[in-house]
Amino acid sequence: MAVMKLPRAMLIDMDDTILSAYGRPEIAWNTITTEFAAELAPLPPDQVATALLAYARQFWSTAEPIWRIKLGEARRLTVKGGFAALAAAGHRALPDDLADRIADRFTAYREEEMFVFPGAHEAIDALKALGIKLALVTNGAADMQRAKVERFALGHRFDHIQIEGEHGFGKPEERAYLHAMEALGVTAPDTWMIGDNLEWEVVAPQRLGIYAIWMDVHGVGLPPGSTIKPDRIIRSLGELVPAARK
């Protein structure tokens, strides 16, 4: 395969691109409902987990951007929604206080289990050493996302840190990409966008002429019937480093 010319700049997502953060939610929900099995009985934990995951996916498919800033509150709403769906199906009504405790435990669990993907730091450092300008472009609340930047030693690795909650706008708004490129002093033809969200890191950037790379860390492939066409698909940031591609 021919070695592709590297860009002047890269805009890189954080969650589930650099960090293992929110991927595989079915595993997390099953873990948490198992912890609360005694209080959920006689409902099996896996049945509750399935209901919570289904409601959460429904909620996030149409959620307004503000809920990304109020993630803890959104999770409480989705657990209560999942409980309501179970009750509507004829199962026993589960109390709101239990919903809140499960949602808060889910949030804490996600934080506990978060880690940097192997080789991510090294790949970012190698790209920076090659003279590529780097921007971290992440959605979410200011305090939560800034804490991750500090916790996982990302701040010094980027020329520009752009957090939705700090700037007042985020992906897939055009200005999120335009602002990051302006901060780096580059234009769309000079820029790659890398991330795991097909809408935020592929569709929206491609409209602006940015080369869009989809991070498929678990190797699941594009959703069946998807019409979205990333310019490239990778499973780790290390694949972007020239030595790793030879």
Short mmCIF file of all heavy atoms in Angstrom, two decimals, residues 57-96:
data_model
loop_
_atom_site.label_atom_id
_atom_site.label_comp_id
_atom_site.label_asym_id
_atom_site.label_seq_id
_atom_site.Cartn_x
_atom_site.Cartn_y
_atom_site.Cartn_z
N ARG A 57 -30.34 4.26 24.29
CA ARG A 57 -30.07 4.46 22.87
C ARG A 57 -31.16 5.30 22.22
O ARG A 57 -30.89 6.16 21.38
CB ARG A 57 -29.95 3.09 22.18
CG ARG A 57 -28.60 2.43 22.43
CD ARG A 57 -28.50 1.06 21.84
NE ARG A 57 -27.12 0.56 21.89
CZ ARG A 57 -26.78 -0.71 21.80
NH1 ARG A 57 -27.72 -1.65 21.64
NH2 ARG A 57 -25.51 -1.08 21.86
N GLN A 58 -32.40 5.04 22.61
CA GLN A 58 -33.52 5.83 22.08
C GLN A 58 -33.38 7.30 22.50
O GLN A 58 -33.55 8.21 21.68
CB GLN A 58 -34.84 5.26 22.60
CG GLN A 58 -36.07 6.05 22.20
CD GLN A 58 -37.32 5.52 22.90
OE1 GLN A 58 -37.42 4.36 23.26
NE2 GLN A 58 -38.30 6.40 23.11
N PHE A 59 -33.04 7.51 23.75
CA PHE A 59 -32.89 8.87 24.28
C PHE A 59 -31.79 9.62 23.54
O PHE A 59 -32.00 10.75 23.05
CB PHE A 59 -32.58 8.81 25.77
CG PHE A 59 -32.29 10.15 26.40
CD1 PHE A 59 -33.32 10.95 26.87
CD2 PHE A 59 -30.98 10.62 26.51
CE1 PHE A 59 -33.06 12.20 27.44
CE2 PHE A 59 -30.71 11.86 27.08
CZ PHE A 59 -31.75 12.64 27.55
N TRP A 60 -30.62 9.00 23.41
CA TRP A 60 -29.48 9.70 22.82
C TRP A 60 -29.62 9.89 21.31
O TRP A 60 -28.97 10.77 20.72
CB TRP A 60 -28.18 8.99 23.16
CG TRP A 60 -27.78 9.17 24.59
CD1 TRP A 60 -27.76 8.23 25.58
CD2 TRP A 60 -27.39 10.40 25.21
NE1 TRP A 60 -27.37 8.78 26.76
CE2 TRP A 60 -27.14 10.11 26.58
CE3 TRP A 60 -27.21 11.70 24.75
CZ2 TRP A 60 -26.72 11.09 27.47
CZ3 TRP A 60 -26.79 12.68 25.65
CH2 TRP A 60 -26.55 12.37 26.99
N SER A 61 -30.49 9.10 20.68
CA SER A 61 -30.67 9.25 19.23
C SER A 61 -31.33 10.58 18.86
O SER A 61 -31.17 11.06 17.74
CB SER A 61 -31.49 8.09 18.68
OG SER A 61 -32.85 8.15 19.12
N THR A 62 -32.05 11.17 19.81
CA THR A 62 -32.74 12.44 19.54
C THR A 62 -32.43 13.52 20.57
O THR A 62 -33.02 14.60 20.52
CB THR A 62 -34.27 12.22 19.51
OG1 THR A 62 -34.70 11.68 20.78
CG2 THR A 62 -34.67 11.25 18.41
N ALA A 63 -31.52 13.26 21.49
CA ALA A 63 -31.25 14.19 22.59
C ALA A 63 -30.66 15.51 22.10
O ALA A 63 -29.85 15.55 21.18
CB ALA A 63 -30.31 13.55 23.60
N GLU A 64 -31.07 16.59 22.74
CA GLU A 64 -30.50 17.90 22.46
C GLU A 64 -29.06 17.96 22.98
O GLU A 64 -28.72 17.26 23.95
CB GLU A 64 -31.33 18.99 23.14
CG GLU A 64 -32.74 19.13 22.60
CD GLU A 64 -32.76 19.63 21.17
OE1 GLU A 64 -31.89 20.45 20.82
OE2 GLU A 64 -33.64 19.19 20.40
N PRO A 65 -28.20 18.78 22.36
CA PRO A 65 -26.81 18.86 22.79
C PRO A 65 -26.62 19.18 24.26
O PRO A 65 -25.62 18.77 24.86
CB PRO A 65 -26.24 19.97 21.90
CG PRO A 65 -27.08 19.94 20.68
CD PRO A 65 -28.47 19.58 21.16
N ILE A 66 -27.57 19.91 24.88
CA ILE A 66 -27.42 20.28 26.29
C ILE A 66 -27.24 19.08 27.19
O ILE A 66 -26.58 19.15 28.23
CB ILE A 66 -28.65 21.12 26.75
CG1 ILE A 66 -28.43 21.67 28.17
CG2 ILE A 66 -29.92 20.30 26.69
CD1 ILE A 66 -27.28 22.63 28.31
N TRP A 67 -27.81 17.91 26.78
CA TRP A 67 -27.70 16.73 27.64
C TRP A 67 -26.27 16.19 27.69
O TRP A 67 -25.92 15.48 28.64
CB TRP A 67 -28.68 15.65 27.20
CG TRP A 67 -30.10 16.03 27.50
CD1 TRP A 67 -31.09 16.35 26.60
CD2 TRP A 67 -30.70 16.17 28.80
NE1 TRP A 67 -32.26 16.67 27.25
CE2 TRP A 67 -32.04 16.56 28.60
CE3 TRP A 67 -30.22 16.01 30.10
CZ2 TRP A 67 -32.91 16.79 29.66
CZ3 TRP A 67 -31.08 16.23 31.16
CH2 TRP A 67 -32.41 16.62 30.94
N ARG A 68 -25.44 16.52 26.72
CA ARG A 68 -24.04 16.11 26.79
C ARG A 68 -23.32 16.85 27.92
O ARG A 68 -22.33 16.36 28.45
CB ARG A 68 -23.32 16.37 25.45
CG ARG A 68 -23.88 15.57 24.30
CD ARG A 68 -22.93 15.55 23.13
NE ARG A 68 -22.67 16.85 22.54
CZ ARG A 68 -23.28 17.32 21.46
NH1 ARG A 68 -24.19 16.58 20.84
NH2 ARG A 68 -22.98 18.52 20.97
N ILE A 69 -23.83 18.05 28.23
CA ILE A 69 -23.25 18.84 29.32
C ILE A 69 -23.81 18.40 30.67
O ILE A 69 -23.21 18.65 31.71
CB ILE A 69 -23.53 20.34 29.08
CG1 ILE A 69 -23.11 20.75 27.67
CG2 ILE A 69 -22.83 21.21 30.11
CD1 ILE A 69 -21.64 20.58 27.38
N LYS A 70 -24.97 17.77 30.65
CA LYS A 70 -25.64 17.33 31.89
C LYS A 70 -25.74 15.81 31.88
O LYS A 70 -26.80 15.22 32.01
CB LYS A 70 -27.03 17.97 31.95
CG LYS A 70 -27.00 19.49 31.96
CD LYS A 70 -28.34 20.10 31.55
CE LYS A 70 -29.45 19.78 32.51
NZ LYS A 70 -30.72 20.47 32.15
N LEU A 71 -24.59 15.16 31.73
CA LEU A 71 -24.56 13.72 31.51
C LEU A 71 -25.11 12.92 32.68
O LEU A 71 -25.86 11.96 32.50
CB LEU A 71 -23.12 13.29 31.20
CG LEU A 71 -22.91 11.86 30.71
CD1 LEU A 71 -23.75 11.57 29.48
CD2 LEU A 71 -21.43 11.62 30.42
N GLY A 72 -24.76 13.32 33.91
CA GLY A 72 -25.26 12.60 35.07
C GLY A 72 -26.77 12.64 35.17
O GLY A 72 -27.43 11.63 35.44
N GLU A 73 -27.33 13.83 34.91
CA GLU A 73 -28.79 13.99 34.94
C GLU A 73 -29.44 13.19 33.82
O GLU A 73 -30.50 12.58 34.01
CB GLU A 73 -29.14 15.47 34.82
CG GLU A 73 -30.62 15.77 34.99
CD GLU A 73 -30.93 17.25 34.92
OE1 GLU A 73 -30.01 18.07 35.16
OE2 GLU A 73 -32.09 17.59 34.62
N ALA A 74 -28.80 13.19 32.65
CA ALA A 74 -29.34 12.43 31.52
C ALA A 74 -29.39 10.94 31.85
O ALA A 74 -30.36 10.25 31.51
CB ALA A 74 -28.49 12.67 30.28
N ARG A 75 -28.38 10.44 32.51
CA ARG A 75 -28.37 9.02 32.87
C ARG A 75 -29.48 8.69 33.86
O ARG A 75 -30.10 7.62 33.78
CB ARG A 75 -27.00 8.63 33.41
CG ARG A 75 -25.96 8.50 32.30
CD ARG A 75 -24.60 8.14 32.82
NE ARG A 75 -23.67 7.94 31.71
CZ ARG A 75 -22.38 8.19 31.79
NH1 ARG A 75 -21.85 8.66 32.92
NH2 ARG A 75 -21.58 7.97 30.76
N ARG A 76 -29.75 9.59 34.78
CA ARG A 76 -30.86 9.35 35.71
C ARG A 76 -32.19 9.27 34.94
O ARG A 76 -33.03 8.42 35.23
CB ARG A 76 -30.92 10.47 36.76
CG ARG A 76 -29.81 10.37 37.82
CD ARG A 76 -30.03 11.40 38.92
NE ARG A 76 -29.13 11.18 40.05
CZ ARG A 76 -29.36 11.61 41.28
NH1 ARG A 76 -30.45 12.32 41.54
NH2 ARG A 76 -28.51 11.36 42.25
N LEU A 77 -32.36 10.15 33.97
CA LEU A 77 -33.58 10.13 33.17
C LEU A 77 -33.71 8.84 32.37
O LEU A 77 -34.80 8.27 32.25
CB LEU A 77 -33.60 11.33 32.21
CG LEU A 77 -33.93 12.70 32.80
CD1 LEU A 77 -33.78 13.76 31.74
CD2 LEU A 77 -35.34 12.70 33.37
N THR A 78 -32.60 8.38 31.81
CA THR A 78 -32.67 7.18 30.98
C THR A 78 -32.95 5.93 31.81
O THR A 78 -33.67 5.03 31.36
CB THR A 78 -31.40 6.97 30.15
OG1 THR A 78 -30.26 6.86 30.99
CG2 THR A 78 -31.19 8.13 29.18
N VAL A 79 -32.41 5.87 33.02
CA VAL A 79 -32.71 4.71 33.88
C VAL A 79 -34.19 4.73 34.27
O VAL A 79 -34.87 3.69 34.23
CB VAL A 79 -31.81 4.68 35.12
CG1 VAL A 79 -32.23 3.54 36.06
CG2 VAL A 79 -30.35 4.48 34.72
N LYS A 80 -34.70 5.89 34.62
CA LYS A 80 -36.13 5.98 34.95
C LYS A 80 -36.99 5.63 33.74
O LYS A 80 -38.03 4.98 33.88
CB LYS A 80 -36.45 7.40 35.45
CG LYS A 80 -35.90 7.66 36.84
CD LYS A 80 -36.05 9.13 37.26
CE LYS A 80 -35.38 9.36 38.62
NZ LYS A 80 -35.37 10.78 39.00
N GLY A 81 -36.55 6.01 32.56
CA GLY A 81 -37.28 5.65 31.35
C GLY A 81 -37.27 4.16 31.11
O GLY A 81 -38.28 3.56 30.71
N GLY A 82 -36.13 3.53 31.36
CA GLY A 82 -36.04 2.08 31.23
C GLY A 82 -36.92 1.37 32.24
O GLY A 82 -37.59 0.37 31.93
N PHE A 83 -36.95 1.88 33.47
CA PHE A 83 -37.84 1.32 34.50
C PHE A 83 -39.29 1.44 34.08
O PHE A 83 -40.09 0.52 34.26
CB PHE A 83 -37.62 2.05 35.83
CG PHE A 83 -36.42 1.59 36.61
CD1 PHE A 83 -35.47 0.73 36.07
CD2 PHE A 83 -36.23 2.03 37.92
CE1 PHE A 83 -34.37 0.31 36.81
CE2 PHE A 83 -35.14 1.61 38.67
CZ PHE A 83 -34.19 0.75 38.11
N ALA A 84 -39.65 2.60 33.51
CA ALA A 84 -41.03 2.82 33.07
C ALA A 84 -41.41 1.85 31.96
O ALA A 84 -42.54 1.34 31.92
CB ALA A 84 -41.21 4.26 32.60
N ALA A 85 -40.48 1.57 31.06
CA ALA A 85 -40.74 0.62 29.98
C ALA A 85 -40.98 -0.78 30.55
O ALA A 85 -41.86 -1.51 30.07
CB ALA A 85 -39.58 0.62 29.00
N LEU A 86 -40.22 -1.16 31.56
CA LEU A 86 -40.42 -2.46 32.19
C LEU A 86 -41.78 -2.54 32.87
O LEU A 86 -42.50 -3.55 32.76
CB LEU A 86 -39.30 -2.72 33.21
CG LEU A 86 -37.92 -3.05 32.63
CD1 LEU A 86 -36.85 -2.94 33.70
CD2 LEU A 86 -37.90 -4.43 32.00
N ALA A 87 -42.16 -1.47 33.57
CA ALA A 87 -43.47 -1.43 34.23
C ALA A 87 -44.59 -1.51 33.21
O ALA A 87 -45.61 -2.20 33.42
CB ALA A 87 -43.59 -0.18 35.09
N ALA A 88 -44.43 -0.81 32.08
CA ALA A 88 -45.45 -0.83 31.03
C ALA A 88 -45.61 -2.21 30.42
O ALA A 88 -46.68 -2.56 29.90
CB ALA A 88 -45.10 0.19 29.95
N ALA A 89 -44.56 -3.01 30.51
CA ALA A 89 -44.60 -4.38 29.98
C ALA A 89 -45.15 -5.37 31.00
O ALA A 89 -45.18 -6.57 30.74
CB ALA A 89 -43.20 -4.80 29.54
N GLY A 90 -45.59 -4.85 32.16
CA GLY A 90 -46.22 -5.71 33.16
C GLY A 90 -45.34 -6.14 34.31
O GLY A 90 -45.78 -6.91 35.18
N HIS A 91 -44.12 -5.63 34.36
CA HIS A 91 -43.23 -5.98 35.46
C HIS A 91 -43.44 -5.03 36.63
O HIS A 91 -44.07 -3.99 36.49
CB HIS A 91 -41.77 -5.94 35.00
CG HIS A 91 -41.48 -6.89 33.87
ND1 HIS A 91 -41.44 -8.25 34.04
CD2 HIS A 91 -41.25 -6.66 32.55
CE1 HIS A 91 -41.18 -8.83 32.88
NE2 HIS A 91 -41.07 -7.88 31.95
N ARG A 92 -42.89 -5.39 37.78
CA ARG A 92 -43.12 -4.57 38.97
C ARG A 92 -42.49 -3.19 38.81
O ARG A 92 -41.44 -3.04 38.17
CB ARG A 92 -42.59 -5.27 40.23
CG ARG A 92 -41.09 -5.15 40.48
CD ARG A 92 -40.73 -5.81 41.82
NE ARG A 92 -39.31 -5.70 42.14
CZ ARG A 92 -38.81 -4.74 42.90
NH1 ARG A 92 -39.58 -3.77 43.37
NH2 ARG A 92 -37.51 -4.72 43.17
N ALA A 93 -43.12 -2.20 39.40
CA ALA A 93 -42.60 -0.83 39.35
C ALA A 93 -41.37 -0.73 40.24
O ALA A 93 -41.39 -1.19 41.39
CB ALA A 93 -43.67 0.15 39.79
N LEU A 94 -40.33 -0.17 39.71
CA LEU A 94 -39.09 0.02 40.46
C LEU A 94 -38.99 1.48 40.89
O LEU A 94 -39.33 2.38 40.13
CB LEU A 94 -37.89 -0.36 39.60
CG LEU A 94 -37.82 -1.86 39.21
CD1 LEU A 94 -36.84 -2.08 38.07
CD2 LEU A 94 -37.44 -2.71 40.41
N PRO A 95 -38.54 1.74 42.11
CA PRO A 95 -38.57 3.11 42.65
C PRO A 95 -37.55 4.06 42.02
O PRO A 95 -36.49 3.64 41.56
CB PRO A 95 -38.26 2.90 44.14
CG PRO A 95 -37.49 1.61 44.20
CD PRO A 95 -38.05 0.75 43.10
N ASP A 96 -37.90 5.34 42.05
CA ASP A 96 -37.03 6.37 41.48
C ASP A 96 -35.69 6.46 42.20
O ASP A 96 -34.67 6.74 41.57
CB ASP A 96 -37.72 7.73 41.52
CG ASP A 96 -38.79 7.89 40.43
OD1 ASP A 96 -38.87 7.00 39.56
OD2 ASP A 96 -39.51 8.90 40.48
#
